Amino acid sequence: MIDRIRLVDIGEIEKEIIIANDGSEDGTRRAIDESPWRGDRRVQVHDHPINLGKGAAIRLGLRYATGDVLLIQDADLELDPGEYNALLGPILDGRADVVYGSRFVAGQNAVSFPTRAANRFVTLVTNVLYRASLTDILTGYKVFRREALAGIGLRGVGFDFDPEVTAKLLLARRRIVEVPIGYSPRRHAEGKKVRWTDGVEALYVLIRYRLTAGK
């Protein structure tokens, strides 16, 4: 994934790569240390001593990122860095504060029916509660102007990050634009970690922040 990111041409935009290693025990740390790009000053590595979850890893990365635009990239190869220019476009031309890459705008067929159904239900609840018109709040591709996250405290440790950040952005009236993306999903046997309980938690988070105005 880092090799792909380093090769992406995003024009004159300066690229900073923050690796948040969330206490991985699968050889990630060794792969990082032995990589040919380890001496690249554009690449920073930060570690959690133990595995905490997706939300904790993202917050670790955000803590050290210095850019004006922040883009979240999972390292599991499901999403293609070749789509960075499309994701950055609405922010660079002033149409958006936040961009979500949607797997459903273009009718992505790679998404399994259970995943599609669960995602659509969670997104529908989001749209009803927050008067939004999104199609994929659980997408891994989320891009933010740095200012869009100002004043938004994030607490999520696991997959609750996605509903939490979406709820708080909508409550803060940030402009969210979606662009279509491709998707090459992993199977659970290949390390996919999302479970049905994460969908239940997402609904709880959405209802909670609606009732407490994001607090």
Side-chain angles (χ1 to χ4, degrees), residues 61 100 120 178:
Y100 280 15
R120 285 190 170 177
E178 291 184 306

Side-chain angles (χ1 to χ4, degrees), residues 100-115:
Y100 280 15
S102 174
R103 295 164 290 178
F104 305 115
V105 168
Q108 176 62 246
N109 293 321
V111 183
S112 68
F113 176 77
T115 298

Side-chain angles (χ1 to χ4, degrees), residues 7-192:
L7 290 173
V8 171
D9 182 2
I10 53 175
E12 298 181 358
I13 300 174
E14 183 179 353
K15 193 187 304 176
E16 173 186 61
I17 303 171
I18 309 291
I19 300 175
N21 177 28
D22 187 36
S24 297
E25 298 179 349
D26 58 0
T28 293
R29 181 74 248 188
R30 183 177 68 255
I32 291 172
D33 291 338
E34 296 175 354
S35 68
W37 41 259
R38 191 64 183 92
D40 188 336
R41 288 182 293 178
R42 297 176 301 171
V43 181
Q44 298 181 39
V45 182
H46 299 281
D47 301 272
H48 279 149
I50 59 173
N51 182 264
L52 297 173
K54 175 181 177 176
I58 290 174
R59 291 192 288 116
L60 176 66
L62 293 176
R63 186 187 314 156
Y64 291 100
T66 63
D68 298 318
V69 179
L70 310 171
L71 185 154
I72 297 171
Q73 171 75 63
D74 292 338
D76 57 11
L77 303 178
E78 289 189 334
L79 302 175
D80 181 10
E83 299 189 281
Y84 282 2
N85 286 295
L87 291 162
L88 293 168
I91 287 179
L92 298 179
D93 64 21
R95 291 187 290 119
D97 302 310
V98 180
V99 175
Y100 280 15
S102 174
R103 295 164 290 178
F104 305 115
V105 168
Q108 176 62 246
N109 293 321
V111 183
S112 68
F113 176 77
T115 298
R116 183 187 299 269
N119 199 321
R120 285 190 170 177
F121 182 70
V122 170
T123 299
L124 173 63
V125 171
T126 302
N127 291 337
V128 172
L129 291 176
Y130 296 88
R131 298 182 180 180
S133 56
L134 300 172
T135 66
D136 190 3
I137 77 156
L138 303 180
T139 176
Y141 265 157
K142 292 179 170 70
V143 191
F144 315 87
R145 288 184 182 276
R146 174 173 289 279
E147 299 82 29
L149 292 176
I152 294 180
L154 297 172
R155 303 189 184 102
V157 173
F159 290 108
D160 53 336
F161 168 83
D162 294 300
E164 178 193 19
V165 72
T166 302
K168 292 182 175 181
L169 288 169
L170 290 170
L171 287 170
R173 300 186 182 278
R174 303 297 194 253
R175 298 173 299 163
I176 303 177
V177 170
E178 291 184 306
V179 299
I181 59 169
Y183 181 56
S184 300
R186 292 187 298 168
R187 300 184 301 273
H188 284 291
E190 297 172 306
K192 189 77 172 177

